[in-house]
Amino acid sequence: MELFQAKDHYILQQGERALWCSRRDGGLQLRPATDLLLAWNPICLGLVEGVIGKIQLHSDLPWWLILIRQKALVGKLPGDHEVCKVTKIAVLSLSEMEPQDLELELCKKHHFGINKPEKIVPSPDDSKFLLKTFTHIKSNVSAPNKKKVKESKEKEKLERRLLEELLKMFMDSESFYYSLTYDLTSSVQRQSTGERDPRPLWQKVDDRFFWNKYMIQDLTEIGTPDVDFWILPIIQGFVQIEELVVNYNESSDDEKSSPETPPQESTCVDDIHPRFLVALISRRSRHRAGMRYKRRGVDKNGNVANYVETEQLIHVHNHTLSFIQTRGSVPVFWSQVGYRYNPRPRLDKSEKDTIAYFCAHFEEQLKIYKKQVIINLVDQAGREKIIGDAYLKQVLLFNSSHLTYVSFDFHEHCRGMKFENVQTLTDAIYDIILDMKWCWVDQAGVICKQEGIFRVNCMDCLDRTNVVQAAIARVVMEQQLKKLGVMPPEQPLPVKCNRIYQIMWANNGDSISRQYAGTAALKGDFTRTGERKLAGVMKDGVNSANRYYLNRFKDAYRQAVIDLMQGIPVTEDLYSIFTKEKEHEALHKENQRSHQELISQLLQSYMKLLLPDDEKFHGGWALIDCDPSLIDATHRDVDVLLLLSNSAYYVAYYDDEVDKVNQYQRLSLEDLEKIEIGPEPTLFGKPKFSCMRLHYRYKEASGYFHTLRAVMRNPEEDGKGRAVNLTKTSLASDLKTKALWHREKIF
């Protein structure tokens, strides 16, 4: 559709339809396309794909119109329904200021013969004008006093920060999807229930997942059929669609695929090897939406944080089979407050005060899904226990025959990279999985329905949850394919199919993590490789508490944008954050200068505490235990001090809560069997680090090891983009001489 700029309006036009948006008050009008002749000097700015809606980022700031500037085709669902991902947006200030360069694709009708956008060279004054925000321009009109200048600068800074977060949400995370012909908010089963619904798409959607509902409200309230064309329901979440070929003769050494670029479909013909389409669709709820440390647990309406419905869809010939699961924060009132990194969780309301809201949550869930099987993955000991215990108590008080509670301590069962132990869980609930069934439809209608869902959770509902949901979904998919005759009864999924399937679930987990973990995840894959703290000092050279504090500031802006998108008043004083940021940036820089000294002091202190007098200290390092089964998602890594003497090495585990080493192991060098240097072990996707594995004997038995790595420097802070890696140069000779890993070996 074409976007025009007139004196008083922005005008969107496609065919005989036009939508006029006032540049004075943001009002929207449906008008015939011929009315363009009545507009004052309309100029075609280019092409856009659709309307997301309007947003006012602060009461002091103008309204903004958000348009889809660029899309990417994700794939086609059964019925030839195209699904698109929003990759770029255009944001237009609904004010009288001139728009900045939107970099829109030019329409051939109004820009005939022009391949690239025209570069209008403005005067020097005009260039400066276009770079300024609306607030800055407005403030300069009346030559204000110093106080007003300061207020204006703060408004300009706030406007810029909020706009940056809005653009990052849509363009960095790439987590918004839409379809012009398919209801992405609803599962196959919900769409197959009842008679054919003649209403337009936007009126049939599941309200929980209609992410731009509030932003498009001015249009939905018009109430005439003509408006249907302009209303485009958008979901936040994840969609990936692949066609898989069941080929057991295929070599497992086929070209490997990355999580970002799954393998293309095989060139085999269908009558030789059966094919099937698999789609993964995750829908994030717009209720209690937000950032990890800003939104936890349940609210007073029974909504929970990080609530996501994930549907796995299989299509073979004319048969479509669907299986859905949900994830969501533990539905009690809990939080993690303070500005320590990974603060200890706490309960915010008593058991009695929580009951009504817990009930509200599950009453709605049972109304929608009929039955619920809770898979609770939080640790049954340690800091997570308080949340797990509160959850179980509420389930017992709820006392419903439609609610089944299963507890599985993921970290305990899968310790030491033994992810295959997740099968212990799927084996235990295998009968429940079969009894739950799945939705199965063909051209004639519904063959069977899914009866209930699995509601999986850990603390963040990220990595652990994703691993378990993928395992359950795989059991279901194999059963479905065997029922359809696509897979032999006793055969597992072929290697290549399995690899693509794992990549899809890894991508799904990454996307959900980025949406919930926030800014840090968008920049540095923080949910997979987050730096950790040691004695209050980040190992990459910055203070962990202050780095965490700064990320919390950014979370405040992101949370504000999310709330505004949903029409929720922003309660946090965003202006006050500016002052706090400045103070902590100064502290952040000061700690950068002193971190090496602090780490050195810490190592020296524990060298004296742990090493007996008859052992000679050779060196010590602050490292990370990179066994990903130990800690969840954004908290995967464990702080470790590695100390080396002439006869032993010590692995000391540091607890940031009490700021001291809480346990350690002394291992004789005689028991050290071998050292391996290689890629970091990962369950899904490509490894991102090199690591060192120390194999040792314990009580004369082999098979024990520590997996350690150094950390990644942050290129933005370091300025060099230099990685911290382990090298195996001279490790063997160092072992022979009992002088392991001099400091130069870690750089």
Side-chain angles (χ1 to χ4, degrees):
M1 63 184 66
E2 298 159 311
L3 172 65
F4 293 88
Q5 173 195 343
K7 180 182 177 183
D8 298 322
H9 293 86
Y10 286 112
I11 302 168
L12 290 159
Q13 186 167 305
Q14 183 162 331
E16 297 179 355
R17 303 179 178 91
L19 176 66
W20 289 46
C21 185
S22 172
R23 297 176 64 185
R24 293 185 176 179
D25 59 13
L28 298 175
Q29 283 183 300
L30 300 179
R31 298 176 66 166
T34 53
D35 279 6
L36 185 65
L37 299 172
L38 305 176
W40 182 275
N41 190 27
I43 300 170
C44 181
L45 300 178
L47 299 175
V48 295
E49 300 293 341
V51 181
I52 294 174
K54 294 192 313 180
I55 189 171
Q56 187 179 27
L57 295 174
H58 197 274
S59 58
D60 296 338
L61 302 174
W63 284 86
W64 296 79
L65 179 66
I66 309 175
L67 306 172
I68 301 172
R69 174 158 64 100
Q70 194 175 95
K71 67 180 181 182
L73 179 65
V74 176
K76 292 184 179 181
L77 291 173
D80 212 31
H81 298 288
E82 291 188 348
V83 178
C84 296
K85 175 169 60 178
V86 178
T87 56
K88 292 183 181 178
I89 62 170
V91 183
L92 295 170
S93 174
L94 297 181
S95 64
E96 296 179 357
M97 69 176 286
E98 292 298 309
Q100 297 182 18
D101 184 6
L102 301 175
E103 298 181 356
L104 300 180
E105 180 185 347
L106 299 183
C107 70
K108 295 178 181 178
K109 183 166 55 173
H110 297 101
H111 299 269
F112 179 75
I114 301 174
N115 296 322
K116 296 181 180 179
E118 292 181 86
K119 294 293 183 180
I120 301 172
V121 181
S123 67
D125 289 341
D126 288 340
S127 295
K128 293 177 182 177
F129 182 85
L130 291 174
L131 290 173
K132 294 175 181 176
T133 63
F134 169 77
T135 304
H136 197 164
I137 295 164
K138 188 177 177 182
S139 67
N140 287 338
V141 173
S142 57
N145 58 33
K146 289 184 178 181
K147 183 178 179 181
K148 288 186 177 179
V149 168
K150 182 180 179 181
E151 290 175 354
S152 175
K153 286 183 177 179
E154 287 185 343
K155 286 182 183 179
E156 183 186 3
K157 185 176 180 181
L158 178 61
E159 183 179 30
R160 186 169 61 250
R161 286 289 182 87
L162 293 174
L163 275 175
E164 285 174 359
E165 286 303 321
L166 179 66
L167 291 169
K168 285 177 183 177
M169 274 196 67
F170 280 94
M171 295 163 69
D172 285 4
S173 65
E174 295 190 347
S175 58
F176 290 90
Y177 299 82
Y178 69 93
S179 173
L180 297 174
T181 58
Y182 187 85
D183 181 7
L184 285 177
T185 69
S186 297
S187 66
V188 170
Q189 181 158 314
R190 285 199 294 274
Q191 294 185 54
S192 304
T193 303
E195 307 218 352
R196 184 176 179 82
D197 192 338
R199 292 179 299 167
L201 181 65
W202 70 270
Q203 292 183 4
K204 297 185 288 187
V205 298
D206 190 320
D207 182 75
R208 296 174 296 167
F209 309 119
F210 187 175
W211 250 76
N212 58 329
K213 179 181 179 180
Y214 175 77
M215 291 187 287
I216 210 82
Q217 187 174 338
D218 284 3
L219 284 176
T220 59
E221 290 177 351
I222 290 177
T224 62
D226 293 341
V227 80
D228 298 340
F229 173 81
W230 299 102
I231 300 175
L232 184 63
I234 291 175
I235 67 165
Q236 186 186 37
F238 174 76
V239 181
Q240 186 168 338
I241 304 168
E242 299 291 337
E243 186 175 45
L244 305 187
V245 180
V246 181
N247 182 2
Y248 288 98
N249 298 321
E250 203 164 34
S251 170
S252 61
D253 294 325
D254 284 345
E255 183 179 345
K256 296 290 189 291
S257 304
S258 70
E260 293 79 13
T261 310
Q264 299 299 311
E265 63 181 60
S266 169
T267 56
C268 298
V269 292
D270 193 53
D271 57 352
I272 298 177
H273 300 296
R275 299 169 175 270
F276 66 96
L277 180 142
V278 58
L280 209 54
I281 305 172
S282 283
R283 315 168 174 101
R284 176 181 294 280
S285 174
R286 65 186 184 88
H287 302 301
R288 195 153 177 74
M291 311 312 298
R292 181 175 63 239
Y293 291 109
K294 296 289 184 181
R295 293 290 181 268
R296 291 289 206 190
V298 72
D299 66 13
K300 293 186 177 180
N301 294 315
N303 301 309
V304 295
N306 200 22
Y307 183 89
V308 182
E309 178 187 85
T310 299
E311 178 178 22
Q312 180 175 279
L313 187 150
I314 305 294
H315 183 74
V316 182
H317 300 297
N318 294 319
H319 295 266
T320 301
L321 298 89
S322 160
F323 184 76
I324 58 176
Q325 303 177 75
T326 62
R327 69 178 76 191
S329 192
V330 174
V332 300
F333 290 94
W334 67 280
S335 60
Q336 287 176 282
V337 297
Y339 291 103
R340 293 182 67 91
Y341 193 87
N342 188 18
R344 185 176 293 276
R346 73 176 192 187
L347 294 175
D348 297 325
K349 284 186 182 290
S350 68
E351 180 181 294
K352 182 179 179 182
D353 292 338
T354 301
I355 293 174
Y357 309 104
F358 182 93
C359 291
H361 173 71
F362 274 107
E363 283 168 1
E364 185 197 30
Q365 293 296 296
L366 294 175
K367 181 180 178 182
I368 297 170
Y369 301 110
K370 310 307 179 187
K371 295 178 182 178
Q372 293 260 305
V373 178
I374 297 169
I375 308 291
N376 183 17
L377 305 175
V378 303
D379 294 350
Q380 295 173 22
R383 65 165 61 196
E384 297 183 2
K385 187 176 187 297
I386 186 174
I387 304 301
D389 289 350
Y391 198 178
L392 177 57
K393 287 178 183 178
Q394 290 294 329
V395 170
L396 294 173
L397 290 170
F398 189 66
N399 193 25
S400 170
S401 60
H402 299 295
L403 202 62
T404 302
Y405 181 86
V406 178
S407 181
F408 182 79
D409 191 329
F410 185 95
H411 291 153
E412 182 63 31
H413 285 86
C414 300
R415 188 172 298 277
M417 282 293 293
K418 296 179 181 178
F419 288 106
E420 64 274 14
N421 289 349
V422 170
Q423 189 175 342
T424 305
L425 172 63
T426 55
D427 287 347
I429 62 173
Y430 185 75
D431 290 340
I432 299 176
I433 295 173
L434 295 184
D435 289 343
M436 191 174 287
K437 303 177 185 176
W438 50 78
C439 177
W440 185 351
V441 299
D442 63 8
Q443 290 177 317
V446 179
I447 296 174
C448 72
K449 294 182 179 180
Q450 183 175 338
E451 299 176 358
I453 60 161
F454 289 101
R455 184 199 192 277
V456 187
N457 74 274
C458 48
M459 292 296 283
D460 289 338
C461 302
L462 296 176
D463 272 11
R464 280 180 284 184
T465 296
N466 205 63
V467 168
V468 169
Q469 285 194 336
I472 293 172
R474 177 175 172 151
V475 171
V476 172
M477 183 175 73
E478 289 184 346
Q479 289 296 319
Q480 292 171 334
L481 294 176
K482 289 171 183 177
K483 286 274 187 184
L484 292 168
V486 176
M487 276 177 59
E490 302 303 322
Q491 287 277 8
L493 202 62
V495 173
K496 189 172 181 180
C497 289
N498 182 57
R499 188 164 65 245
I500 300 173
Y501 180 76
Q502 284 186 316
I503 288 169
M504 291 178 71
W505 273 96
N507 291 343
N508 179 66
D510 280 343
S511 186
I512 293 172
S513 293
R514 283 194 296 269
Q515 293 158 24
Y516 193 44
T519 306
L522 297 178
K523 282 194 172 183
D525 197 17
F526 188 72
T527 60
R528 296 285 190 181
T529 62
E531 277 76 12
R532 294 297 170 260
K533 63 275 173 204
L534 184 58
V537 181
M538 286 194 70
K539 300 187 195 80
D540 66 347
V542 295
N543 180 279
S544 64
N546 285 288
R547 173 69 178 279
Y548 177 59
Y549 206 164
L550 292 173
N551 286 336
R552 292 288 289 269
F553 288 137
K554 295 175 184 178
D555 280 357
Y557 298 122
R558 177 63 62 89
Q559 186 64 56
V561 169
I562 292 171
D563 287 344
L564 291 165
M565 288 173 69
Q566 305 306 327
I568 300 170
V570 177
T571 56
E572 191 160 3
D573 182 5
L574 298 177
Y575 285 118
S576 68
I577 295 176
F578 298 150
T579 304
K580 294 178 183 177
E581 273 187 303
K582 193 172 181 180
E583 293 171 358
H584 283 270
E585 280 170 0
L587 184 58
H588 175 83
K589 290 177 182 177
E590 177 63 29
N591 283 328
Q592 277 186 299
R593 290 191 289 268
S594 61
H595 84 282
Q596 288 288 2
E597 295 177 12
L598 291 173
I599 288 180
S600 178
Q601 290 172 10
L602 186 75
L603 290 168
Q604 291 292 330
S605 297
Y606 279 100
M607 177 269 290
K608 294 175 183 177
L609 285 171
L610 299 179
L611 270 66
D613 294 337
D614 59 347
E615 289 187 22
K616 184 179 179 181
F617 179 62
H618 279 288
W621 301 270
L623 300 176
I624 289 173
D625 187 329
C626 59
D627 181 341
S629 70
L630 293 176
I631 304 295
D632 189 24
T634 57
H635 314 137
R636 267 181 41 192
D637 303 328
V638 178
D639 293 326
V640 169
L641 295 177
L642 179 62
L643 305 176
L644 177 70
S645 75
N646 61 321
S647 58
Y649 72 92
Y650 296 76
V651 178
Y653 295 90
Y654 185 84
D655 185 349
D656 73 295
E657 290 293 328
V658 294
D659 202 28
K660 68 179 182 180
V661 168
N662 59 6
Q663 59 177 316
Y664 74 94
Q665 287 178 277
R666 180 189 183 277
L667 296 149
S668 170
L669 292 180
E670 299 297 332
D671 291 326
L672 185 63
E673 295 183 316
K674 63 178 177 178
I675 299 176
E676 293 178 321
I677 304 291
E680 176 187 18
T682 59
L683 182 61
F684 292 125
K686 283 185 174 180
K688 298 177 175 65
F689 295 97
S690 293
C691 66
M692 171 175 64
R693 180 166 286 178
L694 308 177
H695 293 262
Y696 64 93
R697 293 187 301 273
Y698 178 69
K699 294 183 178 178
E700 302 302 322
S702 298
Y704 296 89
F705 57 84
H706 293 109
T707 308
L708 307 171
R709 70 165 171 83
V711 296
M712 202 68 180
R713 290 183 188 272
N714 187 334
E716 293 181 2
E717 292 159 358
D718 185 73
K720 301 173 184 177
R722 185 177 58 165
V724 180
N725 286 314
L726 293 170
T727 127
K728 60 181 178 181
T729 305
S730 75
L731 280 175
S733 60
D734 285 343
L735 273 172
K736 290 177 182 178
T737 59
K738 307 300 184 184
L740 286 163
W741 313 306
H742 294 296
R743 294 182 195 274
E744 306 87 64
K745 298 300 184 292
I746 299 177
F747 59 93

